[in-house]
Amino acid sequence: MEKFKVNESDLILISQAKKLIAERKLDDWHAVSSVLRTNSGSFFEGLHLEAYVGRIAICAEAVALGAAAVAGDTKIDTIVAVYKDGEIVSPCGMCREMISDYSPQAFVILQDKEGPFKVQISDLIPLKYSRD
């Protein structure tokens, strides 16, 4: 997996996602935020949605992509998700599939002990099923 350096625009994504979850986290309702930047340069935000019943949840990445779809701008350049404690988290398998379906060339921001970096979504979902 090739790691790419984050740039200034990527740091803005991270900052927006951290600000969003800090302002909107609500125990048992919103535990993750996500912000994506499209190829056009637009930013879209999303929050994880949890239902009281416990089996219904929608990931923050899906909500952010839904906001982009409403605007007609779903070509993701870069996406990040942040947990309620401010740590960058990796997208779940379903989100990896969805990000890859909409934007096979998208970058995902991750973090390790050395700090944030980004990878292509294809590195997170090898041998992906496709309609082709």
Side-chain angles (χ1 to χ4, degrees):
M1 171 171 58
E2 185 176 358
K3 291 182 180 181
F4 296 85
K5 289 185 177 187
V6 294
N7 58 38
E8 192 63 35
S9 189
D10 298 330
L11 294 175
I12 291 169
L13 279 179
I14 296 167
S15 177
Q16 281 183 278
K18 287 182 177 187
K19 182 177 187 256
L20 179 61
I21 196 61
E23 291 175 351
R24 300 287 183 247
K25 70 181 170 187
L26 188 58
D27 288 339
D28 300 325
W29 296 98
H30 310 301
V32 177
S33 68
S34 180
V35 180
L36 65 84
R37 181 181 58 250
T38 61
N39 290 344
S40 72
S42 296
F43 291 80
F44 296 94
E45 299 177 328
L47 286 174
H48 160 258
L49 304 174
E50 191 72 49
Y52 183 70
V53 216
R55 287 195 49 183
I56 303 168
I58 302 172
C59 295
E61 298 94 329
V63 175
L65 183 54
V70 168
D73 190 9
T74 57
K75 297 298 180 192
I76 302 167
D77 175 76
T78 305
I79 188 168
V80 66
V82 175
Y83 190 58
K84 64 184 177 182
D85 64 3
E87 290 295 315
I88 294 170
V89 293
S90 183
C92 73
M94 289 187 293
C95 287
R96 292 174 187 206
E97 282 279 342
M98 187 169 42
I99 293 164
S100 178
D101 284 350
Y102 278 86
S103 300
Q105 303 303 315
F107 286 95
V108 177
I109 298 174
L110 302 173
Q111 184 171 338
D112 61 16
K113 63 183 179 191
E114 296 169 8
F117 61 93
K118 59 187 180 180
V119 299
Q120 289 193 296
I121 188 65
S122 58
D123 284 338
L124 297 180
I125 189 163
L127 304 174
K128 178 187 175 354
Y129 169 84
S130 88
R131 296 178 196 170
D132 297 331

